[in-house]
Amino acid sequence: MAARFLWASRAASHLRISVAQRGFASVVLKDLKYADSHEWVKIDGNKATFGITDHAQDHLGDVVYVELPDLGRSVSQGESFGAVESVKATSDINSPVSGKVVEVNEVLTESPGLVNTSPYEEGWIIKVELSDAGEVEKLMDSDKYSKFCEEEDAKH
Amino acid sequence: NQSKFPALSVFRSSPRFLLSGPCFDLYSKGFKMSISRAPLMNLVRLKGTPILEQLHLEERLLRASTDNWCIVNDGTNVPTIVMGMSGKPSQLLEVGPVIKDRIPVIKRFTGGGTVIVDKSTLFVSLICNKDDVPSVQPYPRSVMAWSGSLYGEVFEGVDGFQLRENDYVFGDRKFGGNAQSIIRNRWIHHTSFLWDYNVRNMAYLKLPSKVPQYRLERDHTEFVCRMKDYIERSDFVEKTVKAVGKQFAMKEVNIEDIDSYAKGEHVKSTRLLTMEELQEAMASTSQSA
């Protein structure tokens, strides 16, 4: 747990954002936005970077493959644009906001495990040019997302 | 405390009362009973349907339908190799013999490993809305725990059945290959059960680089076993339908009526590999040899 908080702190420092320490729960970074399908998004002007959250990677298990979209492809909020494979399962990755894919993390092709070890930093998945900045308002902040994860886990 | 309306009481300690077709399972504790309708599951029985067609159907029902589905396919028509989404033929197949013998190779939409299936394979696929199986989180290990429990009922009394490192085994021998796909609010868990198999067909498959620990470097013929040595074919199918029927209200649906259940466009990722792709795989194998 201490090791996880350490990498989260390093990631947060690099991203210049603060960390919410949630005890034994998964790590949630403040200043990111979150979708209810467990993707995070960092907005930088009219660009957004996505990945899956620490909660998601923990529940998915070891990621052995990431299916990345083509450059230039359009993505729509709430819809699938790719997938990860873990424990014999493909799991959709859904886009937290709409836009056009301008960069994909090719490193994940050779090192899919980065999604597990560094979900908010080296495990980023795609970057898009936003088509509707207003969509970000529909996403959860870190506090709401933390609560959402706790409620989801408590049901099972 | 006897409720005035026992059928409407909350049943605390065993809250499931299932309506399954015309049959009722009644649980009572004291004088309290309750009725809650089980979610519906459509049952499709196929026989000899080509595995590519079955997988296309499954992908369509997962993505373009909102119903729960149980698909049972009694054998496929010709021996076919089926790889998971991330499978690479050069790593998983003896590509030369596969090309020479013209064995079809499919890449399916779910994860997991490589199987070779034929007329003796039995296929069971379960597609569920996550809200209809509320005890299961839409993540691979949670789905597998549920399916392992379901098949535990099917194989009750059969010695040695267990879910072992995500495989269905009798003892230390695998008899079913399973895989999953999880989308926003639904998931599929499908299995190809090795009722019987041709040893010669196993020779088309390489030993994969990632294997479960219990495999212990055994080759295919030492690692797998035939389900027919453990249970009757019809018995297995009916026990599976019955086990599913304990959690869902089953309704038989004819394949001809599927169009009314699944409308609209959807992502299609299951496909047959082309001869060019297989030849490229063979070339890359030769280069790295």
Side-chain angles (χ1 to χ4, degrees):
Chain A
M1 187 57 220
R4 286 177 72 171
F5 188 63
L6 189 60
W7 76 248
S9 299
R10 282 207 305 268
S13 174
H14 176 74
L15 293 166
R16 297 197 184 144
I17 52 180
S18 54
V19 175
Q21 168 64 309
R22 297 175 63 239
F24 289 108
S26 53
V27 173
V28 178
L29 299 186
K30 284 185 182 293
D31 301 338
L32 298 182
K33 291 289 193 181
Y34 299 87
D36 61 5
S37 47
H38 301 286
E39 292 85 13
W40 59 265
V41 57
K42 182 170 190 294
I43 306 294
D44 185 8
N46 75 330
K47 285 227 176 79
T49 306
F50 308 159
I52 65 167
T53 66
D54 185 47
H55 175 98
Q57 71 77 21
D58 185 51
H59 283 62
L60 284 169
D62 290 345
V63 173
V64 298
Y65 179 75
V66 181
E67 188 175 70
L68 297 165
D70 293 328
L71 287 175
R73 183 209 148 136
S74 294
V75 295
S76 301
Q77 187 175 49
E79 292 186 13
S80 166
F81 66 83
V84 293
E85 183 179 346
S86 64
V87 195
K88 301 187 177 189
T90 55
S91 298
D92 274 2
I93 314 169
N94 299 302
S95 193
V97 289
S98 306
K100 188 173 81 172
V101 178
V102 295
E103 197 175 340
V104 301
N105 189 354
E106 305 265 9
V107 175
L108 295 179
T109 302
E110 292 302 317
S111 304
L114 288 172
V115 171
N116 296 115
T117 56
S118 184
Y120 297 113
E121 201 174 356
E122 292 173 274
W124 67 272
I125 300 175
I126 65 170
K127 298 185 189 213
V128 304
E129 207 169 73
L130 290 173
S131 57
D132 181 356
E135 284 181 339
V136 177
E137 301 306 315
K138 297 178 191 168
L139 303 175
M140 291 181 269
D141 63 21
S142 58
D143 288 337
K144 277 197 182 135
Y145 179 65
S146 295
K147 195 157 180 258
F148 175 75
C149 292
E150 282 165 12
E151 285 169 0
E152 212 176 63
D153 283 344
K155 285 184 205 166
H156 300 95
Chain B
N1 295 321
Q2 182 175 0
S3 168
K4 191 175 176 183
F5 301 101
L8 298 175
S9 302
V10 174
F11 187 58
R12 289 189 178 82
S13 65
S14 181
R16 265 201 262 149
F17 170 93
L18 300 174
L19 176 68
S20 183
C23 302
F24 292 79
D25 286 336
L26 278 171
Y27 298 93
S28 63
K29 190 173 175 76
F31 296 98
K32 290 184 183 175
M33 300 192 303
S34 71
I35 296 175
S36 62
R37 187 171 287 280
L40 185 67
M41 180 170 281
N42 298 322
L43 172 63
V44 180
R45 296 187 193 250
L46 306 172
K47 186 168 175 65
T49 295
I51 185 59
L52 182 63
E53 199 176 309
Q54 178 191 326
L55 289 167
H56 280 153
L57 171 67
E58 289 176 7
E59 196 170 7
R60 181 183 176 198
L61 292 177
L62 175 68
R63 291 194 177 273
S65 163
T66 54
D67 287 4
N68 302 307
W69 296 89
C70 176
I71 299 156
V72 179
N73 187 15
D74 189 346
T76 189
N77 56 339
V78 297
T80 306
I81 292 168
V82 186
M83 299 191 305
M85 181 180 77
S86 61
K88 294 187 173 74
S90 58
Q91 294 175 1
L92 296 166
L93 310 181
E94 298 292 352
V95 188
V98 167
I99 291 175
K100 177 172 170 290
D101 296 342
R102 306 182 81 82
I103 307 294
V105 179
I106 292 169
K107 190 174 273 200
R108 64 178 186 264
F109 66 104
T110 54
T114 308
V115 293
I116 179 159
V117 298
D118 59 25
K119 62 177 169 40
S120 59
T121 313
L122 263 169
F123 302 92
V124 179
S125 307
L126 294 157
I127 300 172
C128 295
N129 291 310
K130 67 171 186 162
D131 290 341
D132 288 334
V133 200
S135 63
V136 176
Q137 280 198 305
Y139 294 107
R141 288 173 292 207
S142 184
V143 174
M144 287 233 61
W146 175 83
S147 68
S149 171
L150 182 126
Y151 284 114
E153 286 187 42
V154 174
F155 294 110
E156 196 176 340
V158 178
D159 199 30
F161 170 75
Q162 61 172 306
L163 178 65
R164 187 168 184 177
E165 293 183 59
N166 305 314
D167 288 342
Y168 297 129
V169 302
F170 294 123
D172 64 353
R173 291 209 177 209
K174 182 175 172 177
F175 69 93
N178 63 72
Q180 299 163 133
S181 183
I182 301 165
I183 66 172
R184 196 178 181 79
N185 293 311
R186 289 162 68 71
W187 45 262
I188 178 171
H189 175 90
H190 63 184
T191 310
S192 55
F193 289 98
L194 283 173
W195 174 259
D196 195 0
Y197 60 84
N198 187 331
V199 170
R200 187 175 170 273
N201 286 346
M202 293 293 167
Y204 292 116
L205 306 181
K206 284 183 177 172
L207 192 66
S209 57
K210 287 180 187 161
V211 294
Q213 284 184 345
Y214 79 95
R215 183 162 181 161
L216 299 172
E217 297 181 16
R218 288 177 284 166
D219 69 19
H220 288 290
T221 55
E222 292 297 312
F223 177 52
V224 298
C225 66
R226 296 175 168 85
M227 202 165 86
K228 69 176 188 179
D229 295 334
Y230 294 85
I231 191 170
E232 295 291 328
R233 197 174 178 98
S234 58
D235 209 22
F236 166 72
V237 172
E238 292 321 307
K239 281 183 174 177
T240 299
V241 172
K242 188 178 172 188
V244 177
K246 286 187 180 175
Q247 300 186 44
F248 297 86
M250 305 295 278
K251 178 184 125 182
E252 295 233 16
V253 170
N254 290 326
I255 187 70
E256 295 80 20
D257 299 329
I258 289 290
D259 282 349
S260 63
Y261 291 91
K263 297 180 193 291
E265 291 298 311
H266 63 278
V267 169
K268 295 173 182 122
S269 42
T270 300
R271 62 186 187 84
L272 191 65
L273 267 59
T274 62
M275 182 57 72
E276 288 72 26
E277 286 174 295
L278 292 174
Q279 284 168 343
E280 273 174 31
M282 191 160 73
S284 73
T285 309
S286 307
Q287 281 166 10
S288 59

